[in-house]
Amino acid sequence: MSAPGYTNLNSSVSYSQNSTPNGGAAPPYQNGPTQAYQSMNPPPGCYGAPPQQQSYPTTPAHSTPAPGKASITKSAHSANYYQSNHQPQQQQHHHIPQHHVAPSPYNVPSSQSYATHPSSGPPPSNAQYNQQQQQQQQPPYATPGSYYGQQLYYPPPGQHSSQQQQQQQQQPTLVTAPASGPGAPLYPIVSYPSAPGSSQYGTLSSTQSTSTPGVMPTQMGAPLHQYNTSRPASTTAVQPGYNAAPPSQLAPTVNGQGSTAHQHYDQSHQASLSYNSYGGVTHSSGSTETDRPPSGTPSTSVHSSPGHQQGGDTSSSSTGSASPVPNSYDSLEGGNFPDSMPSSNDMTNQAASYGSYGYSSMQPAYHQGPASHADSSPSHDPYGQSSYQQYSQPFPNLSQLSAALGGLSGVPELEVEALRPVNLLQERNLLPPRPLEAPEPNLSPELKKVNCSPQTFRCTLSSIPQTQALLNKARLPLGLLLHPFRDLQQLPVITSNTIVRCRSCRTYINPFVTFLDQRRWKCNLCYRVNDVPDEFMYNPVTRLYGEPHRRPEVQNATVEFIASSDYMLRPPQPAAYLFVLDVSHNAVEAGYLKYFCDSLMENLDRLPGDSRTRVGFLTFDNTIHFYNLQEGLSQPQMLVVSDIDDVFIPSHDSLMVNLKESKELVKDLLTSLPAMFSQSRETHSALGPALQAAFKLMSPTGGRVSVFQTQLPTLGAGALQSREDPNQRSSSKGVQHLGPATDFYKKLALDCSGQQIGVDLFLLSSQYADLASISCISKYSAGSIFYYPSFHYIHNPAQLEKFQKDLERYLTRKIGFEAVMRIRCTKGLSIHTFHGNFFVRSTDLLSLANVNPDSAFAVQMSIEDSLADSSLACFQAALLYTSSKGKRRIRVHTLCLPVVNQLSDVYAGADVQAVTCLLANMAIDRSITSSLSDARDALVNAVVDLVSAYKSNVSNLLQSGLVVPAAMRLFPVFILALLKQKALRTGTSTRLDERVFAMCEFKTQPLQQLMRMVHPDLYRLDNMSDQGALHLNDTVVPQPHLLHLSAERVSRDGAFLMDCGTVFYLWVGKCCNEMFIRDVLGYPNYASIPPNMSHIPELETTLSERVRALLDWLQDNRAFCSTIHVVKDDTSAKATFFQHMVEDRSESASSYHEFLQHVQQQMSK
Amino acid sequence: MEAAVFILSLVDCCALIFLSVYFIITLSDLECDYINARACCSKLNKWVIPEMVGQCLSTMLMLVSMHWFIFLLNLPVAAWDIYRYLKVPMGNMGVFDPTEIHNRGQLKSHMKEAMIKLGYHLLCFFIYLYSMILALIND
């Protein structure tokens, strides 16, 4: 059907419906994939020991130096693996007993995979561990291959101490290439340690990427040596987070390498093999908010000292001799594993020998008691070989490092502090000087070290109550807040034939399982005793046999597996992006099209994907226009389908085209698109049919659909009517129409979800567009929603800037396709309700057609059975997705929390931010299913309940007034702030769409971002000092204290920065110091500051540098770029600044003090 | 005549019993993850109206035949069925909504409801049976 209808862009031909109803090729729609993915569990076969010839499927066999080549090889290889290699062998798998002890499986190297290597001699290990940057964009897969290659050159460990240097140098060249391939520059490896997500993009220095490979080889060749190296690095990385090691101890920088924090992270990255480095990151990320040890913490450097190398060699040799088996595993790259804990630097005095015995005896009770470890460990493990021991070491070390580790050792004190009763009516200064941290769960230090980062996985109660009764008594919600696909700086990536999982509940092995003995482990979620597969007995890092507890899976709470074909229903699909653009008159008026096209053009090469990436475009007004971009055409052809009642696809193969092949045509189209519709007079919008067309177009592959809509859909299926009554905007009675008006969008979203299509919605509308209905298309297909009220390219420059910045991030951020996430929890706990954008496919399985690094999820839990028989409760979130490079991956996060039976312990562990966010989610649900006023009452009742529960159960003081535990002292402020949010406020004029959008944001924003939106951070800038400042790279980032959000804290002679998450306000008082205005804003005095200033000029003054450093630092903590507005005291913009002063009285809402009084009244009722 | 009414009610009641069992089986399939929420809900939503009609039918029969006690017994259930159908929000895909069913314990409450209905229909079944036999004997 394609030929006849094609015309050039300028002459469009309409297709009539009747001739070809479905275009003849409506893709078979079914829920198929859904079903198939239903279980992430691989067939039993995968459990078996690997067949002998099975090569390492996932590891490419090549050691090709050329960057370009690496990726190609990879794909070729993978295809090969899936189709030819693996399947035949699968049968073999089944026959091999699981706990086959015979070493044979380890002889794995298949000639095939190693064929490319010159001396394919030594033995590949069964599993590779790559610590690599988590971005898939890097050609990570290339690296492993090269390791293999490298290995060949190395004599068995111990023999080649002399070669090490050589190897080190050699390796980088081989491996570097891939690392610095196309992806690398874009997605820098490590930027700034504490920056959570976005910072990754762009900060990276190329040296880092190259260095990574460099280190790896080292490790392989001389494993022990490498431990030395990497371990220090990782150690340091950890320290900042835990405030742990004092810089001075680490300080002896040997190489003069990282003397700044930044470098130090680089180091850790270099040591990328270190498995624990992730742990390090985790903690370090925490460190952003804590006072970071001054930049001095020079981490690494240890590895260069000859003495250590020597030691490494010796130990490695001993390893070899002691355990012959491991030799076959030479190829493992493992890294230095272990420990994320800050062990003392002076390893020299520790005995190297321990590792050599291969841990023949398991440490009993891996997690229990420090005591048992304490005795055995300190003496050994110098080189970080035995991570396990490292964990046990903390105690001795702790005492040594007491100063730095104060935070850890002081747990009881913290708890006491958290429980200190606070009388809210008397204490006025409740805010901590620095933004709140997640409370640390009261776990033994070694568990705490490996626990999941609070930014990724957070529980409202960091001490889980034993029974539902106790939970009810506490009157706090129990739930998890997850940010599973967050951009991470470092992530251990594991390529292994066997992904070890519990046989009954399918939990992935994690740091919190118990090893009963060498051959068996006990699942921490269902308590089933499982066998340790043979393959798992080998520790790739130490190359020792019999150390399952030191494998990276068991050392890191966050790991990523490269999944085998057992985890896929169909071969990984290419990344596919379809852009659906509104080109009606309204859209042309708003003028977004040009900016969209410019932005896409700029970022075309940065779209995540590989050589198979496909793109397509579709525009609509009252008809739908397709674009034929088939390679070979001289210019794009537009195909118009005017039949919107029965949409069909005019051509099947040429509408979604390979980006690489048709890049010129795509650019052509993007250039001409804005002009093509500039004369459009069509005011109707057929959004529904356009979405149906998009669905049909994308069904075969799945992918991402980005919809840009500027008005209410008025034609075809899914047409909507305006439901908003502008006079009711400020009504305090109740808000109607928060739910969808039709189920069309929901049904379509579920269809999309079934075909693995995620729909992201950009709504740029100045009028009511019924976001409540339209947003369903994204809500249930795991998309994201962006809303730009009153968008206009001339009249509203602030929105335009935000749109451009968001778009850039949106187009270039990581993406995972065909994802499912399963959340498992310890027996006795169950998931009650899910919050976020996804479709819940079964009781614990979320279907995510697309997963992006910026969306978060929340779940509410209930306690069904008493947890009395265990002292720990664990939660595991496993996200299975296809990366944009076409790799199937599983990211696993495990969180471990103590179970308590005392109410006071529950309160001590309460996480006020998480509680607030979960309550916000619950309130949104409530306002949709019931009513807004119900939801508001419920929030107030949450405060009342907490205070009365605390009063009657815990607090012994017969104090009058409102007494809450210190851990929850900010709860009333946060709830009050919630009540004043757009989503939940009443009485203040709020457009329905803005309200609904705010509700969507509550459901999907990660906790930190949400908290900044609810309760912005306020700092005073004009009198900042360098006291307590962070020193990063060469910049000094001042750390001003947080101020309460009340006008009384703001004075006219100051300048204040308010961080609202998506926007910064810099409020300049009338009498502000002129020096500040001159040095920071670049104007001579207050009067000359323009009213709409929205950037901070780069001036050479110290103050300007400090302010910009602070802004950049705050910016690094979030994904989307925030805009800054300078607000003068006398402008009308002042109101937007002061509306965030949540503790003050506003026209329709009470002040904090009034709120407390209201709570008190409610209590006395 | 009376016997005919009860025979009809009996048949209706049997159908309702089967329907309740079908609901329970399908919901427990969902609970055990044998089918996905989408399939489950579209299966069940198909039967919501037939169930409602069946229940109303027996209620009407009792009203027409002036068996007040049995009518009063039937009335609340019929009312509940109608209410449940009417209160479905506009954006939902029916009484059973795949996007909501796993939330807020809805699955459990649907299950509970189906169980209670099963018990109730069984009770009705025996009442009808007894009444029918009585009617036949009286004839």
Side-chain angles (χ1 to χ4, degrees):
Chain A
M1 56 173 289
S2 53
Y6 288 136
T7 60
N8 278 342
L9 281 177
N10 300 331
S11 63
S12 52
V13 168
S14 304
Y15 278 79
S16 80
Q17 61 190 114
N18 298 336
S19 59
T20 43
N22 264 338
Y29 160 58
Q30 46 154 358
N31 260 350
T34 320
Q35 288 280 11
Y37 283 111
Q38 207 154 4
S39 71
M40 296 157 89
N41 316 337
C46 93
Y47 244 68
Q52 296 205 347
Q53 311 125 325
Q54 173 151 4
S55 52
Y56 295 97
T58 34
T59 51
H62 55 277
S63 62
T64 47
K69 210 165 180 181
S71 58
I72 295 169
T73 321
K74 174 187 54 177
S75 60
H77 179 75
S78 62
N80 173 10
Y81 158 54
Y82 294 127
Q83 282 146 22
S84 57
N85 232 354
H86 186 73
Q87 289 172 352
Q89 290 166 1
Q90 189 122 338
Q91 294 176 344
Q92 255 180 333
H93 272 277
H94 294 285
H95 299 297
I96 300 182
Q98 285 195 347
H99 0 276
H100 184 27
V101 188
S104 59
Y106 300 104
N107 301 335
V108 185
S110 74
S111 55
Q112 191 178 7
S113 43
Y114 297 100
T116 45
H117 282 299
S119 59
S120 66
S125 71
N126 50 352
Q128 285 192 346
Y129 298 91
N130 257 353
Q131 165 107 23
Q132 72 185 35
Q133 285 310 311
Q134 81 150 34
Q135 298 93 350
Q136 312 109 308
Q137 284 84 354
Q138 276 192 353
Y141 313 104
T143 26
S146 55
Y147 296 147
Y148 280 62
Q150 282 302 335
Q151 258 199 325
L152 306 179
Y153 306 123
Y154 302 149
Q159 296 183 1
H160 50 271
S161 57
S162 63
Q163 292 184 350
Q164 289 184 353
Q165 288 297 343
Q166 189 190 350
Q167 290 170 2
Q168 287 181 352
Q169 289 166 358
Q170 199 179 2
Q171 295 273 353
T173 49
L174 285 176
V175 187
T176 304
S180 59
L186 296 180
Y187 304 92
I189 296 188
V190 168
S191 52
Y192 158 71
S194 55
S198 57
S199 63
Q200 283 179 328
Y201 299 85
T203 334
L204 152 83
S205 65
S206 59
T207 54
Q208 293 175 340
S209 60
T210 50
S211 62
T212 307
V215 176
M216 308 227 254
T218 323
Q219 293 177 342
M220 298 197 335
L224 291 183
H225 162 63
Q226 117 200 64
Y227 296 134
N228 291 344
T229 354
S230 51
R231 192 174 68 106
S234 60
T235 309
T236 45
V238 176
Q239 290 168 350
Y242 276 95
N243 318 332
S248 61
Q249 298 204 357
L250 298 175
T253 303
V254 180
N255 277 343
Q257 285 182 352
S259 55
T260 68
H262 183 67
Q263 284 182 335
H264 136 108
Y265 276 93
D266 295 352
Q267 285 294 346
S268 64
H269 178 72
Q270 280 189 350
S272 57
L273 293 189
S274 70
Y275 290 105
N276 51 1
S277 59
Y278 176 72
V281 171
T282 308
H283 308 306
S284 68
S285 60
S287 72
T288 38
E289 283 115 23
T290 57
D291 290 345
R292 183 184 304 269
S295 62
T297 37
S299 29
T300 45
S301 50
V302 184
H303 64 280
S304 58
S305 74
H308 291 298
Q309 286 192 358
Q310 193 54 39
D313 290 344
T314 5
S315 63
S316 70
S317 64
S318 65
T319 304
S321 60
S323 57
V325 181
N327 283 339
S328 61
Y329 292 100
D330 286 351
S331 58
L332 269 204
E333 61 151 298
N336 73 358
F337 229 60
D339 42 336
S340 44
M341 68 155 268
S343 57
S344 66
N345 257 351
D346 53 342
M347 336 170 152
T348 47
N349 54 9
Q350 296 175 336
S353 59
Y354 191 84
S356 56
Y357 297 102
Y359 253 91
S360 51
S361 69
M362 192 63 69
Q363 298 278 347
Y366 168 52
H367 4 99
Q368 289 164 3
S372 61
H373 304 302
D375 19 38
S376 62
S377 55
S379 56
H380 318 284
D381 160 286
Y383 296 105
Q385 270 192 359
S386 61
S387 58
Y388 183 51
Q389 300 202 345
Q390 292 269 356
Y391 286 113
S392 46
Q393 281 191 1
F395 296 94
N397 290 337
L398 274 181
S399 55
Q400 293 168 3
L401 308 181
S402 58
L405 294 179
L408 287 178
S409 57
V411 168
E413 291 142 41
L414 283 179
E415 200 166 303
V416 170
E417 167 57 24
L419 274 176
R420 180 178 62 88
V422 174
N423 190 335
L424 295 172
L425 292 173
Q426 284 165 6
E427 291 197 34
R428 301 295 314 277
N429 291 310
L430 300 171
L431 280 180
R434 302 291 313 131
L436 273 184
E437 289 276 325
E440 286 204 355
N442 188 8
L443 292 167
S444 60
E446 68 266 35
L447 286 185
K448 215 181 260 179
K449 293 284 159 35
V450 294
N451 218 347
C452 199
S453 155
Q455 292 191 349
T456 304
F457 213 145
R458 204 151 156 181
C459 184
T460 55
L461 303 177
S462 62
S463 304
I464 305 288
Q466 207 170 59
T467 58
Q468 181 73 34
L470 186 59
L471 177 61
N472 292 342
K473 228 176 177 184
R475 311 296 294 174
L476 287 170
L478 175 61
L480 300 172
L481 291 121
L482 287 141
H483 191 182
F485 203 54
R486 193 167 72 91
D487 285 326
L488 298 167
Q489 272 88 37
Q490 285 172 323
L491 173 71
V493 177
I494 297 166
T495 305
S496 169
N497 285 338
T498 315
I499 296 175
V500 181
R501 303 174 65 178
C502 172
R503 286 175 68 195
S504 76
C505 67
R506 309 303 295 157
T507 298
Y508 294 82
I509 196 164
N510 60 67
F512 310 107
V513 301
T514 320
F515 283 95
L516 299 177
D517 56 39
Q518 269 210 312
R519 311 294 311 180
R520 292 181 306 154
W521 61 279
K522 190 171 166 195
C523 174
N524 53 335
L525 269 65
C526 68
Y527 308 120
R528 184 191 205 277
V529 175
N530 292 275
D531 296 304
V532 176
D534 258 342
E535 197 182 335
F536 203 73
M537 295 298 291
Y538 175 70
N539 184 345
V541 180
T542 54
R543 303 191 300 163
L544 287 182
Y545 187 78
E547 299 188 330
H549 51 282
R550 283 199 241 149
R551 299 256 307 192
E553 294 95 321
V554 189
Q555 295 294 333
N556 294 284
T558 295
V559 292
E560 186 152 294
F561 296 97
I562 308 286
S564 66
S565 58
D566 298 324
Y567 290 81
M568 45 187 105
L569 282 178
R570 53 177 181 179
Q573 300 295 305
Y577 306 108
L578 176 65
F579 298 94
V580 178
L581 308 166
D582 182 359
V583 292
S584 63
H585 178 68
N586 204 24
V588 174
E589 280 294 293
Y592 83 93
L593 200 54
K594 175 175 183 300
Y595 297 93
F596 164 76
C597 290
D598 289 351
S599 184
L600 182 56
M601 187 97 89
E602 246 168 56
N603 295 302
L604 211 49
D605 296 323
R606 294 170 64 196
L607 285 179
D610 52 15
S611 58
R612 303 185 300 160
T613 305
R614 287 145 53 94
V615 295
F617 296 88
L618 195 157
T619 56
F620 66 96
D621 40 28
N622 63 338
T623 54
I624 299 170
H625 323 124
F626 297 85
Y627 296 89
N628 180 356
L629 300 168
Q630 189 68 302
E631 191 190 6
L633 290 174
S634 59
Q635 72 182 109
Q637 290 177 322
M638 181 163 83
L639 307 155
V640 177
V641 174
S642 57
D643 172 22
I644 53 170
D645 295 325
D646 185 9
V647 181
F648 61 94
I649 305 294
S651 155
H652 275 276
D653 43 0
S654 56
L655 299 178
M656 291 297 296
V657 293
N658 187 306
L659 177 59
K660 215 171 163 191
E661 290 164 2
S662 301
K663 188 169 276 175
E664 287 314 309
L665 282 173
V666 170
K667 284 184 174 169
D668 262 12
L669 178 66
L670 289 176
T671 324
S672 54
L673 208 50
M676 279 164 56
F677 296 98
S678 57
Q679 301 307 316
S680 171
R681 287 278 166 267
E682 184 51 58
T683 54
H684 285 292
S685 160
L687 176 66
L691 288 172
Q692 286 173 327
F695 167 67
K696 285 180 179 166
L697 204 52
M698 297 287 276
S699 292
T701 55
R704 182 177 79 188
V705 176
S706 316
V707 180
F708 293 78
Q709 168 75 3
T710 62
Q711 58 173 321
L712 194 69
T714 50
L715 277 185
L720 299 168
Q721 316 254 307
S722 178
R723 295 188 291 166
E724 186 187 32
D725 177 1
N727 299 324
Q728 297 293 311
R729 276 183 192 158
S730 59
S731 143
S732 57
K733 274 179 234 144
V735 180
Q736 305 294 310
H737 307 308
L738 291 172
T742 163
D743 63 357
F744 170 80
Y745 295 97
K746 189 187 252 186
K747 274 184 179 153
L748 190 58
L750 294 184
D751 289 344
C752 286
S753 177
Q755 296 297 325
Q756 310 295 348
I757 303 166
V759 183
D760 294 336
L761 176 69
F762 287 78
L763 183 63
L764 310 104
S765 158
S766 46
Q767 271 137 29
Y768 177 71
D770 202 352
L771 188 61
S773 302
I774 308 179
S775 63
C776 286
I777 190 72
S778 297
K779 267 187 195 167
Y780 302 107
S781 66
S784 12
I785 299 162
F786 300 84
Y787 179 47
Y788 305 90
S790 314
F791 181 89
H792 193 279
Y793 70 113
I794 296 173
H795 304 319
N796 200 341
Q799 289 287 7
L800 177 62
E801 189 189 353
K802 186 167 182 309
F803 176 64
Q804 286 175 305
K805 286 182 170 170
D806 286 1
L807 207 53
E808 182 182 357
R809 162 72 180 164
Y810 171 76
L811 292 172
T812 55
R813 71 185 178 187
K814 224 155 61 78
I815 183 170
F817 300 100
E818 304 178 310
V820 287
M821 182 166 74
R822 200 181 279 275
I823 302 168
R824 297 182 173 87
C825 34
T826 295
K827 204 161 67 177
L829 291 168
S830 71
I831 298 176
H832 181 260
T833 304
F834 299 86
H835 303 280
N837 285 359
F838 45 67
F839 172 50
V840 187
R841 206 157 56 204
S842 75
T843 44
D844 57 352
L845 183 68
L846 308 180
S847 158
L848 302 157
N850 285 178
V851 59
N852 68 67
D854 303 326
S855 59
F857 311 98
V859 295
Q860 269 169 268
M861 321 273 310
S862 55
I863 304 171
E864 306 216 309
D865 300 321
S866 166
L867 301 171
D869 52 346
S870 114
S871 61
L872 297 174
C874 293
F875 306 92
Q876 186 172 73
L879 176 72
L880 171 65
Y881 67 97
T882 304
S883 76
S884 51
K885 300 277 186 211
K887 276 281 176 184
R888 202 79 175 135
R889 289 170 159 235
I890 309 165
R891 187 172 297 180
V892 179
H893 304 282
T894 315
L895 177 72
C896 177
L897 296 172
V899 173
V900 297
N901 55 10
Q902 291 300 316
L903 197 54
S904 57
D905 294 337
V906 175
Y907 283 128
D911 181 342
V912 64
Q913 290 183 308
V915 168
T916 308
C917 289
L918 188 63
L919 282 173
N921 277 311
M922 292 159 68
I924 300 305
D925 270 5
R926 187 71 165 269
S927 55
I928 292 173
T929 55
S930 176
S931 76
L932 196 61
S933 53
D934 262 18
R936 291 172 55 87
D937 290 347
L939 285 177
V940 176
N941 285 338
V943 178
V944 175
D945 287 349
L946 172 71
V947 179
S948 28
Y950 184 69
K951 196 173 186 180
S952 59
N953 292 313
V954 178
S955 148
N956 302 320
L957 315 164
L958 293 172
Q959 269 177 310
S960 62
L962 295 174
V963 182
V964 293
M968 295 297 289
R969 68 188 186 281
L970 289 170
F971 189 52
V973 187
F974 287 165
I975 293 297
L976 179 65
L978 268 185
L979 292 173
K980 293 185 175 184
Q981 292 304 298
K982 266 184 191 161
L984 294 168
R985 71 188 180 189
T986 54
T988 310
S989 177
T990 310
R991 288 184 184 189
L992 193 51
D993 276 349
E994 289 186 36
R995 187 188 293 276
V996 170
F997 178 65
M999 289 182 169
C1000 297
E1001 294 265 272
F1002 273 22
K1003 289 269 191 172
T1004 55
Q1005 290 295 330
L1007 181 139
Q1008 282 187 318
Q1009 179 74 0
L1010 186 56
M1011 282 315 296
R1012 278 190 293 253
M1013 289 161 59
V1014 170
H1015 189 267
D1017 296 338
L1018 181 68
Y1019 310 97
R1020 180 165 188 164
L1021 291 192
D1022 63 322
N1023 60 358
M1024 284 188 299
S1025 69
D1026 282 356
Q1027 199 177 5
L1030 296 181
H1031 296 259
L1032 304 168
N1033 266 344
D1034 292 326
T1035 55
V1036 179
V1037 180
Q1039 300 284 293
H1041 285 194
L1042 278 184
L1043 300 175
H1044 275 272
L1045 292 171
S1046 166
E1048 67 180 350
R1049 311 281 172 153
V1050 174
S1051 62
R1052 289 200 171 180
D1053 58 350
F1056 295 82
L1057 179 73
M1058 184 185 277
D1059 175 5
C1060 302
T1062 53
V1063 60
F1064 293 110
Y1065 294 106
L1066 178 56
W1067 184 85
V1068 184
K1070 262 188 186 138
C1071 313
C1072 181
N1073 189 346
E1074 292 210 346
M1075 195 185 82
F1076 179 85
I1077 297 178
R1078 195 179 55 239
D1079 286 357
V1080 176
L1081 302 176
Y1083 290 94
N1085 54 37
Y1086 176 79
S1088 55
I1089 303 174
N1092 286 328
M1093 192 171 172
S1094 60
H1095 72 285
I1096 301 294
E1098 296 198 5
L1099 302 176
E1100 293 294 314
T1101 60
T1102 318
L1103 195 53
S1104 172
E1105 273 167 20
R1106 294 286 187 275
V1107 169
R1108 281 183 288 119
L1110 176 64
L1111 284 171
D1112 290 345
W1113 182 75
L1114 291 171
Q1115 183 67 64
D1116 277 346
N1117 282 317
R1118 65 202 73 193
F1120 288 95
C1121 205
S1122 306
T1123 49
I1124 182 161
H1125 297 293
V1126 177
V1127 179
K1128 287 172 75 175
D1129 192 15
D1130 49 3
T1131 60
S1132 57
K1134 194 169 98 170
T1136 58
F1137 177 78
F1138 281 102
Q1139 75 172 1
H1140 293 287
M1141 293 293 185
V1142 294
E1143 291 182 25
D1144 290 340
R1145 188 167 222 285
S1146 70
E1147 45 183 307
S1148 59
S1150 54
S1151 70
Y1152 179 55
H1153 191 70
E1154 289 166 330
F1155 179 69
L1156 290 182
Q1157 282 173 337
H1158 175 69
V1159 169
Q1160 203 172 17
Q1161 277 174 11
Q1162 295 281 315
M1163 275 177 65
S1164 56
K1165 267 184 194 169
Chain B
M1 177 59 201
E2 182 140 314
V5 166
F6 281 114
I7 289 173
L8 199 57
S9 315
L10 206 58
V11 172
D12 188 42
C13 194
C14 284
L16 288 172
I17 288 172
F18 278 118
L19 216 50
S20 295
V21 171
Y22 176 73
F23 274 50
I24 291 170
I25 290 174
T26 314
L27 287 170
S28 63
D29 273 0
L30 179 64
E31 229 169 15
C32 307
D33 211 355
Y34 293 138
I35 54 173
N36 71 48
R38 186 95 201 265
C40 169
C41 291
S42 64
K43 270 176 162 182
L44 295 185
N45 281 330
K46 255 185 283 179
W47 292 103
V48 167
I49 292 181
E51 189 200 8
M52 195 168 70
V53 170
Q55 185 61 43
C56 291
L57 179 73
S58 63
T59 314
M60 292 311 290
L61 277 176
M62 292 306 127
L63 178 67
V64 171
S65 61
M66 292 186 293
H67 289 90
W68 301 113
F69 173 72
I70 305 181
F71 169 70
L72 288 178
L73 196 67
N74 270 306
L75 192 61
V77 179
W80 166 250
D81 277 355
I82 295 172
Y83 169 73
R84 185 179 67 154
Y85 181 74
L86 293 181
K87 77 167 182 182
V88 172
M90 265 195 293
N92 277 16
M93 295 164 66
V95 171
F96 299 88
D97 189 281
T99 59
E100 305 263 311
I101 196 158
H102 286 295
N103 273 357
R104 294 185 294 278
Q106 277 200 13
L107 185 54
K108 269 184 200 148
S109 58
H110 282 309
M111 193 71 156
K112 217 180 282 169
E113 188 187 317
M115 292 286 205
I116 291 171
K117 275 190 185 158
L118 179 63
Y120 162 81
H121 290 314
L122 281 175
L123 177 72
C124 285
F125 178 82
F126 288 110
I127 292 176
Y128 296 149
L129 193 65
Y130 173 79
S131 309
M132 181 193 75
I133 293 170
L134 216 60
L136 286 176
I137 292 172
N138 287 346
D139 279 353

